[in-house]
Amino acid sequence: MGLVALASAKGSPGVTTTTLAMGALWPRPVIVAECDASGADIPLRMEQAAGGVLDPDRGLLSLAAAGRKGLRSDLVLAHTQRVIGGLDVLVGPRVPEQAAGMTNFWPLLGAALDALPGRDVLADCGRIGATTPQTAVLRAARLLVLVCTAEPSSVVHLRERLTVLAGVLDPASPVGTPISVAVVADPKARDAVAQVRETLQRTEVPLRHIWHLAYDERGAGFFKGRVTGRAEKTPLVRSARPATEEAAAVVAPFFVVPPEEEPGLPADSGPPSDAPAWEGFSFSAQGRPST
């Protein structure tokens, strides 16, 4: 049980797509929590696993209402929904006005997500700034992944945000929150990504990883509801796999298996806890998972 926060410093470099891709590949049970105060995207992208639209009011909003007298980690699972592909998600508020009414909820949410028994959590925090409320979730995270593009403006904004976050998260400390960066760029843009890497390494902020994630419309389509073909063959998924493995390794020491999920359970007790969300099936041409 460990919380990984994903965010950006500016624009829309693909935080939601990155979060969903990593969630689908995550090697342990995981939940994707949509903690973007600007409004939810997942209900607009993905269907329920059984078909039909997601309930936009079942997620952070319903969890906040249920946790008024105390936000326990075990409440979280009751407010998740399963999307096509098998990933459990906690959808965010529909509009910014709803997020504005959750001011006191965000600090409690981070601690609850980090302590969720038997589940890691990937929190899509969207674009963060000095006053964004979801910044409180970052403070509870075991790892922060900042997503950017190779465009100079994106890198400059990221560099400035890194300087601010370093003072809050203390990534150089053994008890601080380490920071990694995912650069979304054309698979062939290795030189551009290398320049981004050199630029970020010249800052005084220590970074655990700097990954190159492929800018890949077809691969991203799987995480926008267009699930046709084989996702594992796309450049996005191929590039996300090693990044996911390294991110999962950072929070692995904090994962605790609940007693009911310990080894020795009967064979029909469910899928193995180390199975990725789409392990064992491929996406059919009709847009539905086929086992």
Side-chain angles (χ1 to χ4, degrees):
M1 51 188 185
L3 172 62
V4 177
L6 295 94
S8 70
K10 187 180 189 300
S12 302
V15 178
T16 299
T17 299
T18 300
T19 306
L20 289 170
M22 293 181 74
L25 292 167
W26 203 255
R28 297 183 295 274
V30 69
I31 290 173
V32 166
E34 200 172 19
C35 300
D36 188 344
S38 65
D41 282 336
I42 292 178
L44 304 177
R45 294 179 175 215
M46 309 294 286
E47 292 184 353
Q48 292 183 3
V53 299
L54 295 171
D55 182 351
D57 294 319
R58 181 183 170 192
L60 288 190
L61 284 176
S62 58
L63 178 61
R68 283 197 185 103
K69 296 183 179 180
L71 185 58
R72 305 188 314 274
S73 293
D74 59 356
L75 283 176
V76 175
L77 290 175
H79 297 270
T80 61
Q81 302 178 68
R82 181 160 294 180
V83 299
I84 184 171
L87 189 62
D88 292 324
V89 301
L90 184 70
V91 303
R94 286 183 284 111
V95 292
E97 288 75 13
Q98 290 178 321
M102 299 165 58
T103 304
N104 298 326
F105 175 70
W106 296 102
L108 301 176
L109 177 64
L113 295 180
D114 184 55
L116 191 63
R119 300 288 188 278
D120 289 326
V121 177
L122 304 183
D124 172 4
C125 295
R127 179 179 176 179
I128 55 171
T131 60
T132 46
Q134 66 268 36
T135 302
V137 176
L138 273 56
R139 297 189 180 97
R142 306 287 181 172
L143 174 68
L144 169 61
V145 178
L146 290 171
V147 183
C148 71
T149 69
E151 293 295 324
S153 61
S154 181
V155 178
V156 169
H157 283 286
L158 172 64
R159 187 177 59 192
E160 298 302 321
R161 183 52 46 194
L162 274 171
T163 302
V164 175
L165 289 172
V168 176
L169 303 180
D170 195 12
S173 168
V175 295
T177 300
I179 301 174
S180 295
V181 171
V183 184
V184 179
D186 187 279
K188 298 180 180 179
R190 296 184 180 89
D191 290 344
V193 174
Q195 291 177 3
V196 174
R197 183 176 286 107
E198 291 176 4
T199 299
L200 296 179
Q201 289 175 340
R202 286 198 296 268
T203 69
E204 296 182 357
V205 180
L207 298 175
R208 180 67 65 91
H209 313 94
I210 300 177
W211 299 302
H212 178 184
L213 296 188
Y215 178 80
D216 168 26
E217 286 290 346
R218 180 171 172 267
F222 283 90
F223 309 104
K224 296 178 181 179
R226 301 191 297 272
V227 286
T228 58
R230 297 187 65 86
E232 63 271 26
K233 301 295 185 180
T234 64
L236 171 60
V237 172
R238 289 201 304 266
S239 64
R241 193 178 296 277
T244 301
E245 291 173 353
E246 291 182 343
V250 173
V251 299
F254 308 104
F255 188 84
V256 177
V257 179
E260 64 271 19
E261 295 187 16
E262 289 180 350
L265 290 175
D268 61 353
S269 60
S273 62
D274 60 349
W278 60 34
E279 189 73 18
F281 68 78
S282 61
F283 291 103
S284 69
Q286 289 72 36
R288 294 290 185 273
S290 58
T291 55

